[in-house]
Amino acid sequence: MVLEGVSGVGKSTLARRLAKRLDATVLHTLTDPHTGWSDAANDELRPLPQFAFYLSGLLHTSDVVRQALSRGPVVADRYASSVMACHAAVNRACLDQVRELITPFQPYLVAADITFYLLGSDRSLRERMGTKTDVKQDDTDLFDVPGRLDRLRENFLAVAETDPSAVVLPTDGHSPDDLADIIVEYLEDRRAEPDRHRRRHP
């Protein structure tokens, strides 16, 4: 399972809740060692080598997912969709061009069984940002860089449109436990009637 969406929408908190309920391993893309290098990559690399860095991190995360799946379920906080949506938004690049760059490597990536695209309003994002204890540059840039949040949302929705594992999940008015309940119930229903629930909102 993958959780996608903009910074501050609640992916990390929800991933921990779901991992506990499903007895799953929780991962964040980028995993180590790439996560420790990301600030330098963002500050010092031009767009194409920066993309290559995040692609390398994604491929490594896929290897980590393979290992974790041998022990049980995996919940990933971000995955391939974030690499595409975020790189295109931050560098004002065409999403289709970024998608083309990643396409040759898709066979190497472990495919997600289901990807929840979390959507939150500006107000709810600001509220969550106010409670985050690990605010990063990406978080503050959502509101400080003109157009950044709108581009990110558009990109995530565009990626979801072509993602066969996609389920769009609005988060406003729901606590992390509420969202975990919704997802677990959706998964149970999906197992019972897989065709009926494909690509629908929970």
Side-chain angles (χ1 to χ4, degrees):
M1 182 194 306
V2 176
L3 302 179
E4 291 284 12
V6 302
S7 295
V9 77
K11 298 181 301 297
S12 300
T13 301
L14 180 56
R16 290 192 294 270
R17 297 284 204 287
L18 289 168
K20 185 174 182 179
R21 293 195 187 194
L22 302 172
D23 193 23
T25 299
V26 63
L27 300 174
H28 185 278
T29 305
L30 302 169
T31 53
D32 288 332
H34 287 76
T35 187
W37 303 333
S38 61
D39 287 344
N42 293 338
D43 292 340
E44 300 176 22
L45 300 182
R46 291 175 62 84
L48 186 56
Q50 185 187 94
F51 173 80
F53 166 77
Y54 280 97
L55 175 60
S56 170
L58 177 61
L59 296 172
H60 174 62
T61 297
S62 196
D63 287 340
V64 175
V65 168
R66 284 188 185 89
Q67 295 170 359
L69 284 172
S70 67
R71 302 188 295 271
V74 175
V75 178
D77 173 2
R78 295 192 182 277
Y79 195 49
S81 297
S82 278
V83 173
M84 291 185 281
C86 295
H87 185 79
V90 169
N91 293 286
R92 296 177 179 267
C94 173
L95 179 61
D96 286 340
Q97 290 179 325
V98 177
R99 199 195 311 265
E100 287 177 10
L101 289 173
I102 208 170
T103 295
F105 301 92
Q106 287 286 1
Y108 189 87
L109 301 177
V110 176
D113 292 306
I114 190 164
T115 302
F116 288 96
Y117 289 81
L118 308 181
L119 297 180
S121 65
D122 289 13
R123 180 179 178 180
S124 66
L125 288 175
R126 288 185 185 277
E127 288 174 353
R128 288 193 179 102
M129 287 295 184
T131 62
K132 282 190 74 170
T133 58
D134 59 341
V135 176
K136 300 176 182 176
Q137 186 70 41
D138 287 345
D139 300 323
T140 56
D141 283 351
L142 279 181
F143 297 103
D144 293 346
V145 177
R148 174 68 56 82
L149 180 54
D150 289 339
R151 286 193 299 273
L152 279 168
R153 282 196 181 114
E154 290 171 5
N155 287 352
F156 275 115
L157 288 174
V159 172
E161 281 297 315
T162 60
D163 181 354
S165 74
V167 176
V168 177
L169 178 57
T171 62
D172 283 13
H174 296 294
S175 69
D177 285 324
D178 291 339
L179 293 170
D181 287 341
I182 291 169
I183 288 176
V184 170
E185 182 178 353
Y186 182 85
L187 294 175
E188 291 171 349
D189 290 348
R190 187 171 180 257
R191 289 192 196 98
E193 299 181 80
D195 292 332
R196 179 185 171 194
H197 290 272
R198 190 170 295 146
R199 293 185 62 81
R200 295 184 61 185
H201 292 243

